[in-house]
Amino acid sequence: VMDVSRSMAWSGDPARVLTKLEYVQRLVAALALLLIRQRDATGLIAFDEAVRAVVPARARTTHWQQLLGTVVHLAPGLGTAAEPALRRVVALLRRRGLVVFISDLLLERELTLRALKFLRHRGHQVMVLHVMDPRELALAGPADARFEDPETRLGVTLRPKDWAEAYRETVTGVVSAWRRACRGSGIQYHHITTETPFGLAL
């Protein structure tokens, strides 16, 4: 289950680091190939504020080409609403399986967790891959900088030096809260930056 919202199109250093979406596209393609090669039926649901693409699960070797064709053509969308996509997973999964939810998690946490917990309650193994750009971990920039939400376009001008410590504490707190909430519900959680080598992430 793959987040393709507008915030996923961001990179803090476009010349050196992939956007979050580009990184996730490659990660999804590699993960799908591994699963299909071990004869696990593999499908895809992509979402932003609505479900944007659905590829039903298949185990045939040729299925990877279809899945890959969908993944490479996914463009950044608008806002983020994970719950409809996760409800779609519930409808599609007839038997117990593995659900890998890949997102920057810039979304409504309680609604998303409720849906993830429901999948776990239904007997599915659930894994969350929290993907962030390295420059999202710390606030930096010139003396005065304008920061803008890519989905709502709301912005604020501030001095990064004055807010760096509060920002770092907030990000650390958010990551820790996701980790605790997931692991407390039997959901695997992994925090990955777009600098993480794909082999290590896999």
Side-chain angles (χ1 to χ4, degrees):
V1 183
M2 177 181 172
D3 183 351
V4 295
S5 60
R6 188 175 287 160
S7 67
M8 293 289 288
W10 192 78
S11 170
D13 187 359
R16 198 174 64 84
V17 180
L18 296 170
T19 67
K20 290 179 281 186
L21 180 57
E22 290 167 338
Y23 183 89
V24 168
Q25 285 171 318
R26 289 157 174 79
L27 189 61
V28 166
L31 183 57
L33 184 61
L34 286 174
L35 293 170
I36 289 170
R37 282 189 172 172
Q38 63 186 29
R39 298 195 175 129
D40 286 324
T42 304
L44 173 75
I45 294 177
F47 70 94
D48 53 6
E49 82 282 7
V51 173
R52 291 295 167 210
V54 177
V55 179
R58 301 280 186 274
R60 296 189 300 267
T61 306
T62 54
H63 180 60
W64 185 72
Q65 294 292 338
Q66 180 192 354
L67 199 146
L68 185 64
T70 300
V71 167
V72 299
H73 288 104
L74 288 169
L78 300 172
T80 316
E83 194 187 20
L86 292 168
R87 281 202 305 267
R88 190 73 174 266
V89 173
V90 173
L92 288 172
L93 283 179
R94 304 297 179 200
R95 294 178 295 173
R96 291 180 181 178
L98 167 65
V99 178
V100 183
F101 182 75
I102 310 177
S103 171
D104 60 7
L105 299 183
L106 296 175
L107 40 72
E108 177 56 54
R109 183 164 64 206
E110 290 311 312
L111 286 175
T112 304
L113 279 170
R114 191 181 310 154
L116 291 168
K117 288 176 183 178
F118 182 70
L119 283 165
R120 188 74 188 94
H121 178 71
R122 293 287 293 267
H124 302 296
Q125 184 181 352
V126 181
M127 179 186 297
V128 173
L129 301 183
H130 185 179
V131 177
M132 292 180 70
D133 185 279
R135 297 221 177 165
E136 289 178 304
L137 300 175
L139 192 64
D144 290 295
R146 179 169 175 78
F147 296 88
E148 188 175 278
D149 183 319
E151 294 179 7
T152 65
R153 297 302 188 196
L154 294 173
V156 62
T157 301
L158 51 78
R159 296 172 63 86
K161 186 174 73 172
D162 296 343
W163 291 89
E165 183 60 23
Y167 180 87
R168 185 191 62 76
E169 289 177 2
T170 300
V171 171
T172 300
V174 167
V175 170
S176 296
W178 272 105
R179 181 181 289 111
R180 281 194 308 272
C182 287
R183 293 183 176 173
S185 301
I187 297 166
Q188 295 181 54
Y189 171 92
H190 301 282
H191 183 237
I192 300 169
T193 70
T194 53
E195 287 183 324
T196 306
F198 292 107
L200 183 57
L202 292 167

